[in-house]
Amino acid sequence: MRAVRLSEPGKPLELQELGIPEVGPNDVLVRVKAAGICHSDAHYRAGRSPVHPLPLTLGHEVAGVIAEAGPQVKDFKPGDRVCLNYMVTCGHCKYCHQGREQFCTTGKMIGKYRDGGFAEFCLVPARSAFHLPAEIPFDQGAIMMCSTATAFHALHKARLQPGESVAVFGIGGLGISAVQLAREMGAFEILAVDIKASKLELAQKFGAIPVQASQTDAVQEIKRLTGGRGVDVALELIGLPVTMGQAFKSLANFGRLAIAGLSEKSLEIAPYFDLINRETEIIGVSDHLAQEIDQLLRWARAGKLDFEEVITGRVPLEAEAINQALNRLEHFSEDLRVVVIP
């Protein structure tokens, strides 16, 4: 089979020929129909986040069709449409029992620690597969497995309640998902913060109030739009200290900042004035939970989530096309989500 793989950090991905993975008793072999290209893939290629063992097939947003199921698999059969939870977990350690399986003691993420979906086939344990309703296209099902699921987890971690206000910093794939999810979770007011006009226009289409951060002070504008109080919840989805600081300063008293953007740099805060005096919170967001995926699929199946316009490009399973998409992500292009179609 063909697979686009990372052989060395800091170098372009390469197309390689591999054998089709052998299916174990509890595994499913998925013929990949769509695999999203995530900003994390750009971090992996650049070496900012470690990937091993190398060479390794990237791609952790995957949807496809069951090609083969192991003899002990009862819930799936060849031909079933599926999307894949990218965390391959044991199911029996302390974290798995607590429903916090993203910290599974032996867990491995596809596309980072085991071969992922930039390939014709992807092998995972059956416990990582979810039935993909026929109403949801493969490309939308694929991107829901990271950008949408992580945005949903961030809103859960931030304890968003109906009637509260939300500011979403970064209107990429995660940000557009967050806007739609916040609406479904009952947010009274959703503010979308970005510097790209096209992204803000799309967020506005889904009910958000645009905040053009290249033309105004984002914190002051959010305070103005909320009558001076700030927002109850802020999501930082970019991974820059400056936007993390802006998101934090945009909070109202008792506000919660959930950070999902990846950065190696520090965030500076004044504990008394910023935290204690306002009883604000900063919450880390790591991946998502398998138990959250069913709700996402139900909303998407009912037409409450729409990701057709989030997919701004489709490319073949070719190294050059995928590397070009990663190059654009490195420079924060207009792309929301580009999807590989093998």
Side-chain angles (χ1 to χ4, degrees):
M1 70 173 187
R2 294 179 303 132
V4 175
R5 315 188 87 203
L6 176 67
S7 295
E8 184 180 348
K11 297 293 181 65
L13 305 187
E14 303 171 348
L15 181 66
Q16 300 178 4
E17 284 287 341
L18 305 175
I20 295 176
E22 183 176 344
V23 180
N26 297 295
D27 294 335
V28 291
L29 180 67
V30 177
R31 181 181 292 276
V32 178
K33 294 293 187 180
I37 301 176
C38 178
H39 209 129
S40 295
D41 294 314
H43 289 301
Y44 302 156
R45 186 186 66 166
R48 286 193 291 272
S49 185
V51 173
H52 61 81
L54 293 176
L56 188 130
T57 306
L58 299 191
H60 55 272
E61 301 181 351
V62 184
V65 173
I66 300 291
E68 184 180 347
Q72 295 183 25
V73 175
K74 306 301 181 186
D75 296 331
F76 299 97
K77 65 183 185 304
D80 285 352
R81 305 173 86 252
V82 293
C83 48
L84 304 183
N85 177 16
Y86 61 60
M87 288 301 299
V88 174
T89 59
C90 71
H92 52 73
C93 71
K94 176 181 74 172
Y95 293 114
C96 286
H97 279 304
Q98 290 176 342
R100 298 172 176 173
E101 72 275 1
Q102 77 270 51
F103 294 104
C104 173
T105 54
T106 59
K108 292 183 178 180
M109 179 179 175
I110 66 171
K112 187 175 185 183
Y113 300 124
R114 57 181 287 159
D115 285 333
F118 293 169
E120 293 179 293
F121 294 93
C122 184
L123 182 74
V124 295
R127 62 181 289 111
S128 291
F130 286 75
H131 286 283
L132 180 66
E135 294 89 346
I136 305 174
F138 286 113
D139 49 9
Q140 295 189 39
I143 67 172
M144 285 176 63
M145 294 300 97
C146 176
S147 59
T148 311
T150 301
F152 196 30
H153 187 57
L155 290 166
H156 275 164
K157 289 281 290 182
R159 306 188 305 280
L160 175 65
Q161 300 297 312
E164 290 190 319
S165 55
V166 184
V168 180
F169 283 74
I171 308 302
L174 272 78
I176 287 295
S177 291
V179 167
Q180 296 187 57
L181 290 164
R183 180 194 63 204
E184 292 304 314
M185 295 171 72
F188 167 70
E189 193 170 50
I190 305 166
L191 290 80
V193 186
D194 207 289
I195 62 173
K196 302 285 189 180
S198 61
K199 296 181 177 182
L200 291 172
E201 288 172 8
L202 183 56
Q204 189 172 18
K205 176 178 177 179
F206 289 115
I209 300 170
V211 176
Q212 175 52 267
S214 66
Q215 299 176 2
T216 186
D217 182 298
V219 176
Q220 291 183 8
E221 181 65 4
I222 289 171
K223 292 291 181 71
R224 184 187 71 81
L225 291 168
T226 57
R229 65 180 298 273
V231 291
D232 300 298
V233 169
L235 301 187
E236 203 286 335
L237 308 174
I238 302 169
L240 296 174
V242 62
T243 48
M244 292 178 186
Q246 290 172 342
F248 186 63
K249 288 179 171 31
S250 73
L251 294 176
N253 291 339
F254 314 110
R256 290 90 64 195
L257 165 62
I259 297 178
L262 303 180
S263 176
E264 312 91 3
K265 298 180 180 179
S266 298
L267 170 64
E268 184 176 331
I269 61 170
Y272 174 68
F273 291 105
D274 292 337
L275 280 173
I276 297 170
N277 200 39
R278 299 192 295 134
E279 288 202 359
T280 54
E281 301 175 45
I282 300 177
I283 301 165
V285 179
S286 178
D287 301 306
H288 58 268
L289 302 177
Q291 62 189 284
E292 295 165 334
I293 292 176
D294 281 334
Q295 180 63 68
L296 293 177
L297 293 174
R298 285 195 295 271
W299 275 339
R301 186 179 189 182
K304 295 181 178 181
L305 301 176
D306 179 7
F307 301 112
E308 176 59 32
E309 294 185 70
V310 175
I311 300 171
T312 50
R314 295 170 178 83
V315 298
L317 183 63
E318 296 176 358
E320 182 179 0
I322 296 173
N323 280 311
Q324 287 177 356
L326 291 171
N327 292 343
R328 293 194 298 272
L329 283 174
E330 288 273 18
H331 294 93
F332 296 95
S333 71
E334 298 281 345
D335 287 342
L336 293 173
R337 265 300 189 272
V338 175
V339 178
V340 178
I341 307 294

